[in-house]
Amino acid sequence: TVKNRLFHRTRLVIPGFSSWAVGSLTVSNCSFQVADSAFTLTVTNSMTIAKNGILRVWMTDRSSMVYVGGTVLLTNNSSLHIYSGVTNGAGPNYGGLLGITNDLVIGPGSWLYPYANSTNGGTVLCRLRHLSIASGGGINAFGLGFSPGAGPGAARPGGWSAGAGYGGVGGSAGDKSGPAYGSVSDPVQPGSGSTQGNVSTYTRGGGSVRVNATGTVTVNGTIVADGGSGYGHDGGGSGGAVRIQCGTFAGTSTGLIRVNGGSSISLGGGGGGGRIAVSYATLAGSTAVRFQASPGVGITDNGVPTYIATNDVPQYRPQMGTLWLSDTGLLSNVLTDWRFKDVRIIVPNFTSWILDSLTINNCSLALGERYGLTLTVSGDLNIGAGGALSLGFEGQSSNVTLNVGDDV
């Protein structure tokens, strides 16, 4: 037990301290960091971080890990920070491992922070049985991806204050915006950093949240991996990745999974939205988790391409990101309350959707990008306030058909 400010904002430097094995661990009203190098923390039973407790663990390579034989509980405004080492290469494709035999329970006001390696892109993989995130708590990878100018989606050489890309391309005032990259169904890389008109530490890409659960993942709180926003002429970082594999996926409308691109407050381009992929065997009956992969706002948010009258520079708007789902169980004939916001939904072999009617209010989504889609609505198609539906997607070739039997 480490408590009562025994350590407060302290980095422990102990010669030869590369591993720590304890029967159980409680961190309460203390904040400290262990290791500046490869480190393994082994807790035989359970670990609790409570009452504003903060534990930070650094990992320098994929041999580093935090292993807990019981349950991990984050409660009462506490947090666990895990810094990935290098590599997202083969065998294994992560830079640090959080292994929990039982459950990870995140209470209101408490957070897990998984930091990607900012130059190599190595990420933290969470393996566990059940994950439960309460409303007001969550997993926060905001701006915890590639450094400014780094990553596969960073703007190409010569880019002028361009936004970075990932699930969608970044925006730019020029022709060097950051490209899209990565897997639609298994995104593990973090988001990329933008180019810089001025030096800024805020234009990192969104991080990577990776959860492999044998049981149920319940999201009543927030999982966020937004890209950082630029200042001055900086472009926005691209949204990061959220990859969830589980037996059952559940959550209420207070739950939100978000991978927005970062914005630019001046003359830079917005970052492209990131990538979300959720694989599950079953859905809980009332699952209402919301998903968002909006592009950042920048000089190019007026659409595309147009030209700046003063210097005739072409503008390219950033694109929204992707959402991969195991099946169509989260789709319905009434889409509202921002269930989906700026997401390109991709479901394997989803080529036909037949409905009596379809109503879209305060939801914006794209369908049919990869496999093509025939959407047949025998009655009315109603798209109301805040609603937007795209069939196919710009720059992607797919066969899409819309048949409506009544009014649009």
Side-chain angles (χ1 to χ4, degrees):
T1 298
V2 185
K3 62 181 182 179
N4 297 333
R5 293 205 171 191
L6 176 64
F7 303 112
H8 180 60
R9 298 182 179 179
T10 302
R11 186 179 68 183
L12 298 181
V13 180
I14 304 173
F17 186 43
S18 61
S19 64
W20 187 20
V22 292
S24 61
L25 178 62
T26 298
V27 178
S28 178
N29 199 25
C30 276
S31 57
F32 64 100
Q33 170 186 314
V34 290
D36 290 321
S37 58
F39 190 83
T40 296
L41 171 62
T42 303
V43 182
T44 304
N45 298 303
S46 294
M47 179 169 75
T48 298
I49 305 177
K51 296 181 180 179
N52 300 302
I54 301 173
L55 175 62
R56 300 175 184 266
V57 181
W58 281 81
M59 301 177 178
T60 58
D61 57 43
R62 57 195 180 190
S63 66
S64 305
M65 66 178 297
V66 174
Y67 170 75
V68 180
T71 290
V72 173
L73 173 62
L74 307 181
T75 185
N76 298 116
N77 301 307
S78 65
S79 60
L80 173 62
H81 302 243
I82 300 182
Y83 297 77
S84 176
V86 298
T87 202
N88 263 19
N93 69 337
Y94 53 79
L97 176 65
L98 172 60
I100 303 171
T101 300
N102 291 340
D103 309 336
L104 172 58
V105 180
I106 304 176
S110 297
W111 297 87
L112 170 66
Y113 293 85
Y115 294 72
N117 185 280
S118 62
T119 56
N120 170 269
T123 54
V124 176
L125 173 62
C126 303
R127 285 181 179 157
L128 39 84
R129 183 178 64 178
H130 302 309
L131 169 63
S132 177
I133 302 176
S135 178
I139 303 176
N140 190 344
F142 184 99
L144 301 186
F146 279 105
S147 295
R156 290 162 290 179
W160 185 79
S161 301
Y166 190 7
V169 302
S172 72
D175 61 354
K176 304 296 183 180
S177 59
Y181 63 95
S183 170
V184 171
S185 61
D186 188 28
V188 297
Q189 295 170 287
S192 295
S194 73
T195 57
Q196 302 163 292
N198 299 311
V199 176
S200 170
T201 60
Y202 299 98
T203 51
R204 288 180 58 161
S208 176
V209 177
R210 303 175 61 188
V211 176
N212 190 335
T214 57
T216 300
V217 169
T218 302
V219 182
N220 295 327
T222 303
I223 299 176
V224 59
D226 293 352
S229 292
Y231 287 76
H233 294 280
D234 298 342
S238 62
V242 174
R243 176 68 172 113
I244 296 174
Q245 297 169 278
C246 59
T248 300
F249 183 66
T252 65
S253 60
T254 62
L256 172 65
I257 299 177
R258 192 181 73 202
V259 291
N260 289 352
S263 296
S264 174
I265 65 170
S266 183
L267 297 178
R275 296 194 187 275
I276 303 168
V278 183
S279 303
Y280 48 81
T282 59
L283 280 172
S286 58
T287 301
V289 177
R290 294 167 294 132
F291 300 90
Q292 184 173 348
S294 302
V297 175
I299 191 173
T300 61
D301 62 344
N302 60 340
V304 295
T306 57
Y307 291 87
I308 301 173
T310 54
N311 54 7
D312 201 38
V313 176
Q315 300 179 2
Y316 296 89
R317 66 176 179 182
Q319 295 174 337
M320 57 186 173
T322 59
L323 169 62
W324 189 94
L325 297 170
S326 295
D327 56 36
T328 59
L330 291 172
L331 294 174
S332 70
N333 70 327
V334 178
L335 299 174
T336 187
D337 298 330
W338 298 119
R339 168 66 71 87
F340 304 108
K341 185 174 183 181
D342 298 336
V343 291
R344 293 146 55 197
I345 298 176
I346 300 166
V347 178
N349 302 312
F350 179 39
T351 60
S352 177
W353 196 18
I354 301 174
L355 301 165
D356 292 334
S357 63
L358 177 59
T359 298
I360 301 174
N361 293 316
N362 292 325
C363 269
S364 51
L365 64 153
L367 298 170
E369 172 181 332
R370 174 161 292 199
Y371 302 97
L373 179 69
T374 298
L375 173 58
T376 301
V377 182
S378 59
D380 292 340
L381 170 60
N382 298 303
I383 301 178
L389 173 64
S390 298
L391 297 179
F393 191 69
E394 55 187 305
Q396 303 286 334
S397 60
S398 57
N399 296 317
V400 293
T401 302
L402 174 63
N403 301 308
V404 181
D406 217 321
D407 295 334
V408 177

